[in-house]
Coordinates of all heavy atoms in Angstrom, one line a residue:
D463 N 5.2 11.5 -2.2 CA 5.4 10.2 -1.8 C 4.1 9.6 -1.0 O 4.0 8.4 -0.9 CB 6.6 10.0 -1.1 CG 7.9 10.2 -2.0 OD1 7.7 10.1 -3.2 OD2 8.9 10.4 -1.4
E464 N 3.4 10.5 -0.5 CA 2.4 10.1 0.6 C 0.9 10.4 0.0 O -0.1 9.8 0.4 CB 2.5 10.6 1.8 CG 3.8 10.1 2.5 CD 3.9 10.4 3.9 OE1 3.0 10.6 4.6 OE2 5.1 10.6 4.3
W465 N 0.8 11.5 -0.7 CA -0.6 12.2 -0.9 C -0.8 12.4 -2.4 O 0.2 12.8 -3.1 CB -0.8 13.3 -0.2 CG -0.7 13.2 1.4 CD1 0.3 13.5 2.1 CD2 -1.8 12.5 2.2 NE1 0.0 13.2 3.5 CE2 -1.3 12.6 3.5 CE3 -3.1 12.3 2.0 CZ2 -2.1 12.3 4.6 CZ3 -3.8 11.8 3.0 CH2 -3.3 11.8 4.3
V466 N -2.0 12.4 -2.9 CA -2.4 13.0 -4.1 C -3.3 14.3 -3.8 O -4.1 14.3 -2.8 CB -3.4 12.1 -4.8 CG1 -3.8 12.7 -6.2 CG2 -2.6 10.7 -5.1
Y467 N -3.0 15.4 -4.5 CA -3.6 16.6 -4.3 C -4.4 17.0 -5.6 O -4.0 16.8 -6.6 CB -2.6 17.7 -4.0 CG -1.6 17.4 -2.9 CD1 -0.5 16.8 -3.1 CD2 -1.9 17.8 -1.5 CE1 0.4 16.5 -2.1 CE2 -1.2 17.5 -0.6 CZ 0.0 16.9 -0.7 OH 1.0 16.5 0.3
A468 N -5.6 17.5 -5.3 CA -6.5 17.8 -6.4 C -7.0 19.3 -6.2 O -7.5 19.5 -5.1 CB -7.7 16.8 -6.7
K469 N -7.1 20.1 -7.1 CA -7.8 21.3 -7.1 C -8.9 21.3 -7.9 O -8.8 20.7 -9.1 CB -6.8 22.5 -7.5 CG -5.7 22.9 -6.6 CD -4.9 24.0 -7.1 CE -3.7 24.4 -6.1 NZ -2.9 25.5 -6.6
Y470 N -10.0 22.0 -7.5 CA -11.1 21.9 -8.3 C -12.0 23.2 -8.1 O -11.7 23.8 -7.1 CB -12.1 20.7 -7.9 CG -12.5 20.7 -6.6 CD1 -13.8 21.2 -6.3 CD2 -11.8 20.1 -5.5 CE1 -14.3 21.1 -5.0 CE2 -12.4 20.2 -4.2 CZ -13.6 20.7 -3.9 OH -14.1 20.7 -2.6
V471 N -12.9 23.5 -9.0 CA -13.7 24.7 -8.8 C -15.1 24.2 -8.5 O -15.7 23.4 -9.3 CB -13.7 25.5 -10.1 CG1 -14.8 26.6 -10.0 CG2 -12.3 26.1 -10.4
D472 N -15.6 24.7 -7.5 CA -17.1 24.3 -7.1 C -18.0 25.2 -7.9 O -17.9 26.4 -7.9 CB -17.2 24.6 -5.6 CG -18.6 24.2 -5.1 OD1 -19.6 24.3 -5.8 OD2 -18.7 23.8 -3.9
A473 N -18.8 24.5 -8.8 CA -19.6 25.4 -9.7 C -20.7 26.2 -8.9 O -21.1 27.2 -9.5 CB -20.3 24.4 -10.8
A474 N -21.2 25.7 -7.9 CA -22.1 26.4 -7.0 C -21.7 27.8 -6.5 O -22.3 28.7 -6.5 CB -22.7 25.6 -5.9
T475 N -20.3 27.8 -6.1 CA -19.9 29.2 -5.5 C -18.7 29.7 -6.4 O -18.4 30.8 -6.2 CB -19.1 28.8 -4.2 OG1 -18.0 27.9 -4.4 CG2 -20.2 28.1 -3.3
G476 N -18.2 29.0 -7.4 CA -17.2 29.5 -8.2 C -15.8 29.5 -7.4 O -14.7 30.1 -7.9
E477 N -15.8 29.1 -6.3 CA -14.5 29.0 -5.4 C -13.6 27.8 -5.8 O -14.2 26.7 -5.9 CB -15.0 28.8 -3.9 CG -14.0 28.9 -2.9 CD -14.6 28.8 -1.5 OE1 -15.8 28.7 -1.3 OE2 -13.8 28.8 -0.6
E478 N -12.4 28.1 -5.8 CA -11.4 27.0 -6.0 C -10.9 26.4 -4.7 O -10.7 27.1 -3.7 CB -10.1 27.5 -6.7 CG -9.1 26.4 -7.1 CD -8.0 26.8 -7.9 OE1 -7.0 27.6 -7.3 OE2 -7.8 26.3 -9.1
K479 N -10.9 25.1 -4.7 CA -10.6 24.4 -3.4 C -9.6 23.4 -3.7 O -9.3 22.9 -4.9 CB -11.9 23.6 -2.9 CG -13.0 24.7 -2.5 CD -14.3 24.1 -1.9 CE -15.2 25.1 -1.7 NZ -16.5 24.5 -1.0
R480 N -8.9 22.9 -2.6 CA -7.8 21.9 -2.8 C -8.2 20.8 -1.7 O -8.5 21.1 -0.5 CB -6.6 22.5 -2.5 CG -5.3 21.6 -2.6 CD -4.0 22.3 -2.4 NE -2.9 21.6 -2.7 CZ -1.9 21.3 -1.8 NH1 -2.0 21.8 -0.7 NH2 -1.0 20.5 -2.1
I481 N -8.1 19.5 -2.2 CA -8.2 18.4 -1.3 C -6.9 17.5 -1.4 O -6.2 17.5 -2.4 CB -9.4 17.6 -1.5 CG1 -9.4 17.1 -2.9 CG2 -10.7 18.4 -1.2 CD1 -10.7 16.1 -3.2
R482 N -6.8 16.7 -0.5 CA -5.6 15.7 -0.4 C -6.3 14.3 -0.2 O -7.1 14.3 0.6 CB -4.4 16.0 0.3 CG -4.6 15.8 1.7 CD -3.3 16.0 2.5 NE -3.6 15.6 3.9 CZ -2.9 15.6 4.9 NH1 -1.6 15.9 4.7 NH2 -3.1 15.2 6.2
S483 N -5.6 13.2 -0.7 CA -6.1 11.9 -0.4 C -5.0 11.0 -0.7 O -4.0 11.3 -1.2 CB -7.3 11.7 -1.4 OG -7.8 10.4 -1.3
R484 N -5.2 9.8 -0.2 CA -4.3 8.7 -0.4 C -4.4 8.2 -1.9 O -3.4 7.7 -2.5 CB -4.4 7.5 0.5 CG -4.1 7.9 1.9 CD -2.7 7.9 2.2 NE -2.5 8.1 3.6 CZ -1.4 8.6 4.1 NH1 -0.4 8.8 3.3 NH2 -1.3 8.8 5.3
F485 N -5.6 8.2 -2.5 CA -5.8 7.7 -3.8 C -6.8 8.7 -4.6 O -7.5 9.4 -4.1 CB -6.6 6.3 -3.8 CG -5.9 5.3 -3.1 CD1 -6.1 5.0 -1.8 CD2 -4.9 4.6 -3.7 CE1 -5.4 4.1 -1.0 CE2 -4.1 3.6 -3.0 CZ -4.4 3.4 -1.7
L486 N -6.6 8.8 -6.0 CA -7.5 9.5 -6.7 C -8.0 8.6 -7.8 O -7.2 7.9 -8.5 CB -6.8 10.5 -7.4 CG -7.5 11.3 -8.5 CD1 -8.5 12.3 -7.8 CD2 -6.6 12.1 -9.4
V487 N -9.4 8.6 -8.0 CA -10.0 7.7 -9.0 C -10.5 8.6 -10.0 O -11.4 9.5 -9.8 CB -11.3 6.9 -8.3 CG1 -11.9 6.2 -9.5 CG2 -10.7 6.0 -7.2
G488 N -9.9 8.4 -11.3 CA -10.4 9.3 -12.3 C -11.4 8.7 -13.2 O -11.2 7.8 -14.0
A489 N -12.7 8.9 -12.9 CA -13.8 8.3 -13.5 C -14.5 9.3 -14.4 O -15.7 9.4 -14.5 CB -14.8 7.7 -12.4
D490 N -13.6 10.1 -15.1 CA -14.1 11.1 -15.9 C -14.2 10.8 -17.5 O -14.2 11.8 -18.2 CB -13.5 12.5 -15.6 CG -11.9 12.4 -15.7 OD1 -11.5 11.3 -15.8 OD2 -11.3 13.4 -15.5
G491 N -13.9 9.5 -17.8 CA -14.1 9.1 -19.2 C -12.8 9.3 -19.9 O -11.8 9.8 -19.4
K492 N -12.8 8.8 -21.2 CA -11.7 8.6 -22.0 C -11.1 10.1 -22.4 O -9.9 10.1 -22.9 CB -11.8 7.7 -23.1 CG -12.7 8.2 -24.2 CD -12.8 7.2 -25.4 CE -13.6 7.8 -26.5 NZ -13.6 6.8 -27.6
T493 N -11.9 11.1 -22.5 CA -11.5 12.4 -22.9 C -11.3 13.3 -21.7 O -11.2 14.5 -21.9 CB -12.3 12.9 -24.0 OG1 -13.7 13.0 -23.5 CG2 -12.3 12.1 -25.2
G494 N -11.5 12.7 -20.5 CA -11.6 13.7 -19.3 C -10.2 14.2 -18.8 O -9.2 13.7 -19.3
F495 N -10.2 15.0 -18.0 CA -9.1 15.8 -17.4 C -8.0 14.9 -16.8 O -6.8 15.0 -17.2 CB -9.5 16.7 -16.3 CG -8.4 17.6 -15.7 CD1 -8.2 18.7 -16.2 CD2 -7.6 17.0 -14.6 CE1 -7.0 19.5 -15.7 CE2 -6.5 17.8 -14.2 CZ -6.2 19.1 -14.7
T496 N -8.5 13.8 -16.1 CA -7.6 12.9 -15.4 C -6.6 12.2 -16.5 O -5.4 12.1 -16.2 CB -8.2 11.8 -14.6 OG1 -9.2 12.5 -13.7 CG2 -7.3 11.0 -13.8
R497 N -7.2 11.7 -17.5 CA -6.4 11.1 -18.6 C -5.6 12.1 -19.3 O -4.4 11.9 -19.5 CB -7.3 10.2 -19.5 CG -6.4 9.6 -20.6 CD -7.2 8.9 -21.6 NE -7.7 7.7 -21.1 CZ -8.5 6.8 -21.9 NH1 -8.6 7.0 -23.1 NH2 -8.9 5.7 -21.4
K498 N -6.2 13.1 -19.9 CA -5.6 13.9 -21.0 C -4.6 14.8 -20.3 O -3.5 15.1 -20.8 CB -6.7 14.8 -21.7 CG -7.5 13.9 -22.6 CD -6.7 13.2 -23.7 CE -7.6 12.5 -24.5 NZ -6.7 11.7 -25.5
M499 N -4.8 15.3 -19.1 CA -3.9 16.4 -18.5 C -3.0 15.8 -17.4 O -2.0 16.4 -17.0 CB -4.8 17.5 -17.9 CG -5.7 18.2 -18.8 SD -4.9 18.8 -20.3 CE -4.1 20.3 -19.6
Y500 N -3.3 14.5 -16.9 CA -2.3 14.0 -15.9 C -1.7 12.7 -16.3 O -0.5 12.5 -16.3 CB -3.3 13.8 -14.7 CG -2.4 13.4 -13.5 CD1 -1.5 14.3 -12.9 CD2 -2.6 12.2 -13.0 CE1 -0.7 13.9 -11.8 CE2 -1.7 11.7 -11.8 CZ -0.8 12.7 -11.3 OH 0.0 12.3 -10.2
L501 N -2.4 11.7 -16.7 CA -2.0 10.5 -17.0 C -1.1 10.4 -18.3 O 0.0 9.9 -18.4 CB -3.0 9.3 -17.0 CG -3.7 9.1 -15.6 CD1 -4.9 8.1 -15.9 CD2 -2.8 8.6 -14.7

């Protein structure tokens, strides 16, 4: 109800990280993860 959580892999380290935010902007294109796997 309050947060959006995103997990991602940092390519430089290979480490998986998690962040939280009030908003998420999916600017990854029409075939990107945000649209295909979430929306």
